[in-house]
């Protein structure tokens, strides 16, 4: 099964780095977060990827074109004009990088790569978030539900204390936030059947709006609830959190 990764946005909320590169290419532990996501899928046996690129898409293409330069020891013989790669561990990946347009919306990006999918189900995620979701269990859940779309639901933890307050503004209790206090959101790590393409009209289609709303209204959208680790990288603070987890040697998404 192919894995589609949305990697074309401008990444304006982490513009300190995204003005130089696409957000999925921002590094965590000296490797792009896109690499972390792909390694995670690969650890479950999913090794064929379609990268839905847009903003500075050439950076992603150049990264994979020069993958050995980034990840191996190399001897350059300047006189002979040769290059010898040492200690290279080739990934078992097939990677298709598609320029889906600079301003194309999420649904439009997916629509643009329909020709690469050959009427088959596929996985989809965002290029800026990692998790320890069980992808095999997710896929089993999707098949069991038999619906054209399944999203992984995660709990977005609140950042502040929790108040019990009445309509007159009287606070009856104050406590620290808990995991259960946050809203349940779409955490990515989705599975779709080919039917999804009939819900995508063109470049202006935002997957998370009309298509998802229609699927939900028609009873065709399933939600797989993940109680474990999930973290996106929208800000420098979140990047720092991921960096610290990786440096600790206890990153929850590291299965390889």
């Amino acid at each position: 099964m192919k894995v589609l990764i949305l990697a074309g946005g401008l990444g304006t909320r982490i513009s300190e780095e995204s003005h130089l590169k696409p957000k999925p290419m921002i590094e965590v532990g000296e490797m792009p977060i896109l690499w972390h996501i792909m390694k995670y899928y690969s650890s479950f046996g999913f090794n064929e990827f379609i990268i839905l690129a847009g903003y500075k898409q050439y950076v992603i293409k150049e990264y994979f074109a020069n993958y050995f330069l980034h990840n191996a020891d190399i001897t350059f013989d300047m006189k002979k004009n040769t290059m010898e790669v040492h200690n290279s561990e080739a990934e078992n990946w097939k990677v298709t990088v598609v320029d889906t347009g600079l301003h194309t919306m999420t649904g439009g990006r997916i629509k643009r790569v329909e020709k690469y999918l050959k009427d088959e189900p596929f996985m989809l995620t965002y290029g800026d978030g990692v998790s320890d979701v069980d992808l095999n269990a997710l896929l089993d859940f999707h098949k069991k539900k038999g619906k054209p779309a399944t999203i992984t639901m995660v709990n977005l933890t609140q950042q502040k204390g929790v108040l019990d307050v009445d309509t007159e503004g009287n606070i009856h209790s104050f406590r620290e936030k808990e995991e259960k206090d946050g809203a349940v959101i779409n955490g990515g790590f989705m599975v779709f059947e080919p039917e999804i393409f009939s819900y995508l009209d063109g470049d202006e289609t935002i997957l998370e709006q009309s298509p998802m709303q229609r699927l939900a209204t028609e009873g065709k959208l399933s939600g797989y609830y993940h109680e474990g680790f999930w973290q996106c990288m929208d800000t420098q603070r979140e990047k720092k959190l991921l960096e610290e987890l990786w440096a600790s040697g206890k990153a929850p998404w590291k299965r390889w």
Side-chain angles (χ1 to χ4, degrees):
M1 181 177 286
K2 296 181 177 69
V3 179
L4 276 60
I5 303 179
L6 288 160
L10 299 178
T12 53
R13 283 183 286 182
I14 192 168
S15 59
E16 300 95 331
E17 296 195 48
S18 63
H19 74 287
L20 298 172
K21 63 183 75 172
K23 185 162 68 164
M25 296 304 293
I26 295 174
E27 295 177 350
V28 173
E30 299 185 346
M31 299 297 288
I33 193 170
L34 177 63
W35 176 89
H36 289 266
I37 295 167
M38 294 171 69
K39 288 286 284 187
Y40 187 75
Y41 272 95
S42 185
S43 73
F44 285 90
F46 301 103
N47 293 305
E48 191 164 353
F49 300 93
I50 301 177
I51 311 300
L52 311 185
Y55 172 69
K56 295 188 182 296
Q57 49 83 30
Y58 63 89
V59 176
I60 300 175
K61 291 176 179 175
E62 288 176 354
Y63 176 77
F64 287 107
N66 298 306
Y67 192 80
F68 289 126
L69 291 177
H70 295 284
N71 298 285
D73 298 332
I74 300 176
T75 296
F76 297 95
D77 190 320
M78 308 305 289
K79 185 176 182 179
K80 296 181 179 178
N81 193 26
T82 61
M83 180 181 79
E84 181 181 359
V85 178
H86 308 282
N87 305 321
S88 171
E89 295 184 7
E91 306 288 355
N92 186 28
W93 295 347
K94 180 178 180 181
V95 184
T96 302
V97 182
V98 181
D99 181 1
T100 57
L102 181 59
H103 301 293
T104 308
M105 299 292 102
T106 50
R109 294 190 192 282
I110 299 166
K111 185 71 172 179
R112 284 207 187 192
V113 301
E114 182 177 4
K115 62 184 178 182
Y116 294 103
L117 290 164
K118 301 177 181 178
D119 199 33
E120 61 189 288
F122 60 93
M123 288 186 160
L124 171 76
T125 197
Y126 301 105
D128 62 353
V130 288
S131 176
D132 62 357
V133 60
D134 185 333
L135 296 176
N136 290 331
L138 168 64
L139 187 55
D140 289 343
F141 176 87
H142 172 77
K143 292 177 179 177
K144 181 179 179 180
K145 298 297 286 187
K147 296 183 179 183
T150 299
I151 66 174
T152 295
M153 303 181 300
V154 298
N155 191 274
L156 183 62
T157 305
Q158 293 187 13
Q159 302 299 315
K160 307 296 183 182
V162 178
L163 306 177
D164 176 14
V165 59
D166 62 26
T167 56
E168 295 181 358
N170 301 307
I171 297 174
H172 299 287
S173 69
F174 180 97
R175 60 179 171 80
E176 291 299 312
K177 62 182 174 60
E178 299 175 0
E179 287 292 333
K180 65 181 180 181
D181 293 321
V184 176
I185 64 168
N186 172 19
F189 300 94
M190 298 167 269
V191 187
F192 291 103
E193 298 296 321
E195 184 180 341
I196 187 62
F197 288 105
S198 66
Y199 291 78
L200 307 177
D201 295 325
D203 285 358
E204 300 303 314
T205 304
I206 300 173
L207 174 68
E208 299 80 3
Q209 294 185 4
S210 178
M212 288 293 197
Q213 293 166 1
R214 285 178 55 199
L215 286 165
T217 300
E218 296 170 9
K220 294 182 177 181
L221 179 62
S222 297
Y224 175 79
Y225 187 67
H226 173 58
E227 295 182 334
F229 175 84
W230 176 88
Q231 182 61 58
C232 65
M233 189 184 67
D234 275 339
T235 65
Q236 282 290 345
R237 182 187 64 81
E238 291 167 339
K239 178 182 185 295
K240 183 174 183 291
L241 170 62
L242 294 176
E243 288 274 12
E244 290 172 350
L245 285 170
W246 185 258
S248 74
K250 299 178 181 179
W253 67 90
K254 190 179 187 301
R255 298 180 75 250
W256 56 92

